[in-house]
Amino acid sequence: MTKIKVVIVDDSALIRSVMTEIVNSQPDMEVVGVAPDPLVARELIKRTNPDVLTLDVEMPKMDGLDFLEKLMRLRPMPVLMVSSLTERGSEITMRALELGAVDFVTKPKISIQSGMREYTELIADKIRGASRARIKPRTLHAATAGATTPLPQLRSPLTSSEKLIIIGASTGGTEAIREFLMQMPSDCPGILIAQHMPEGFTTSFARRLDSLCKISVVESAGNERVLPGHAYIAPGHSHLLLTRSGANYMTKIEQSEPVNRHRPSVDVLFRSAAQAAGKNAVGVILTGMGKDGAQGMLEMKNAGAYNFAQDEASCVVFGMPREAIAIGAAHEVAALGALPGLVLGHLATHGGRALRV
């Protein structure tokens, strides 16, 4: 078995040591070099040709973002960011994902050594996912790329008020969701989103999307009426569910046990949409590792929802969509760039008065 070659870049000797121990404890990966700063890392990358680089977001000598930007331009490769659990750390991490980092893990606030060891399984899984990621050249911003392609128009306010778009994603999903939402018109149906992301980062994620999109994007607080032109993102500490109160759709936040090792879980959101919205829902499953969301999407289909899955070529990691497609949960499979138009086209075509459930 060929092992995944990993280079660790972090200014903390303790983090470098613990990360090395975690990686080398796995049978399918090994650390081929460690670096205290990007300048040393640059030479290590040339010498060892790693499969995955783990990179601290805040680095001496050269800012981690500057290094990442140069790396993705000159020598694109899978990068896993290691971020601090701070507001600044989360903002930098969101920017790193925009620049092409595949994913990120967080440093624990207290007892770094024991905390990192508890993360062994998570870190190993993320390195495996990163090693399989498709690293593509950076393209035009979605707003620019989509500007020349007129999107279908929704026929009436009824489409927006009674239909819903339900989205699930994981690895690579932050950028996929950004691309999708930036093409949504201000009168689109309400959107609920479950993206695998730790607590503290969904706030920055929602704020960033809100500044870029025509629609309003918020981190869900629960008990909100789901409104047209609004997107609600599951907070990193809780499951997000769709419920009904009379004629209104409502959000619900729940801190029950993780599902498929995730909280928020896509399956939880999709299952709630199947129960609360039925034929009024359109499901979208985007890039991500694992199978979270596949069974929930099948339940949506069985309840009458119409579902889309991102295709393999445009995914960073073709895990979650593949599982949904394999069990017959998706009606259509398409590239990320085509999905907004297809979803809006379906809503425009089937957007008369929706059947109540």
Side-chain angles (χ1 to χ4, degrees):
M1 178 178 61
T2 303
K3 291 188 175 185
I4 301 165
K5 296 187 294 181
V6 182
V7 164
I8 294 164
V9 188
D10 202 296
D11 62 326
S12 164
L14 177 58
I15 294 293
R16 292 198 303 272
S17 172
V18 174
M19 288 286 285
T20 298
E21 184 180 326
I22 287 172
V23 172
N24 287 340
S25 70
Q26 304 300 305
D28 57 340
M29 60 186 71
E30 63 178 342
V31 174
V32 294
V34 296
D37 61 65
L39 299 180
V40 176
R42 191 166 53 193
E43 296 307 312
L44 266 177
I45 291 166
K46 290 177 186 174
R47 193 166 73 245
T48 64
N49 193 30
D51 301 304
V52 177
L53 182 81
T54 75
L55 178 64
D56 188 7
V57 298
E58 299 179 77
M59 300 287 296
K61 297 189 181 178
M62 179 186 286
D63 180 82
L65 291 181
D66 289 342
F67 177 63
L68 178 65
E69 190 276 330
K70 289 181 173 65
L71 183 68
M72 299 312 290
R73 182 162 40 85
L74 301 173
R75 204 279 195 196
M77 63 180 299
V79 176
L80 181 67
M81 304 304 291
V82 181
S83 173
S84 58
L85 279 166
T86 63
E87 185 171 349
R88 172 174 161 75
S90 65
E91 295 286 354
I92 294 172
T93 301
M94 290 302 103
R95 179 64 182 140
L97 294 171
E98 288 183 11
L99 287 172
V102 172
D103 205 345
F104 68 97
V105 292
T106 58
K107 297 177 182 178
K109 287 180 182 177
I110 303 168
S111 185
I112 289 179
Q113 193 162 358
S114 62
M116 288 297 275
R117 289 196 172 113
E118 288 172 10
Y119 288 0
T120 293
E121 193 173 355
L122 173 66
I123 291 169
D125 279 351
K126 291 201 177 244
I127 289 172
R128 289 185 191 102
S131 73
R132 295 194 291 267
R134 287 179 177 79
I135 306 301
K136 307 183 217 28
R138 298 191 67 215
T139 57
L140 289 172
H141 221 248
T144 306
T148 56
T149 309
L151 293 173
Q153 297 298 304
L154 301 179
R155 280 195 316 202
S156 72
L158 291 174
T159 304
S160 296
S161 61
E162 297 199 4
K163 291 287 189 176
L164 294 171
I165 301 170
I166 314 295
I167 300 174
S170 185
T171 312
T174 55
E175 285 305 283
I177 289 167
R178 176 183 65 78
E179 287 192 38
F180 185 95
L181 292 189
M182 284 184 66
Q183 296 195 58
M184 289 295 104
S186 58
D187 63 345
C188 75
I191 301 173
L192 274 67
I193 300 167
Q195 160 72 42
H196 295 160
M197 190 177 282
E199 183 174 359
F201 288 81
T202 42
T203 304
S204 296
F205 182 42
R207 189 186 304 128
R208 176 66 175 154
L209 291 175
D210 188 58
S211 73
L212 294 170
C213 299
K214 300 182 190 75
I215 63 174
S216 172
V217 184
V218 298
E219 179 187 57
S220 179
N223 205 34
E224 299 137 319
R225 183 183 170 198
V226 179
L227 298 171
H230 288 67
Y232 306 85
I233 296 176
H237 53 68
S238 300
H239 296 303
L240 174 63
L241 295 87
L242 176 71
T243 63
R244 288 195 79 144
S245 176
N248 297 321
Y249 291 115
M250 306 291 292
T251 63
K252 181 182 178 183
I253 295 301
E254 206 175 75
Q255 287 194 319
S256 52
E257 289 301 306
V259 173
N260 298 319
R261 291 169 50 201
H262 295 289
R263 192 176 66 198
S265 162
V266 180
D267 264 336
V268 170
L269 174 59
F270 281 0
R271 283 176 175 140
S272 72
Q275 294 163 12
K279 295 177 181 179
N280 290 347
V282 173
V284 181
I285 194 160
L286 300 174
T287 174
M289 187 170 62
K291 62 179 182 179
D292 187 33
Q295 288 296 330
M297 179 167 265
L298 184 60
E299 290 182 30
M300 286 181 68
K301 182 181 182 183
N302 292 338
Y306 197 84
N307 297 328
F308 296 86
Q310 186 177 349
D311 72 355
E312 182 173 6
S314 65
C315 279
V316 173
V317 178
F318 187 57
M320 286 164 47
R322 179 181 58 221
E323 294 294 330
I325 294 163
I327 62 173
H331 293 87
E332 295 187 45
V333 181
L336 174 62
L339 284 175
L342 289 171
V343 169
L344 292 175
H346 175 80
L347 289 165
T349 305
H350 300 83
R353 182 172 292 278
L355 295 174
R356 292 191 179 278
V357 293

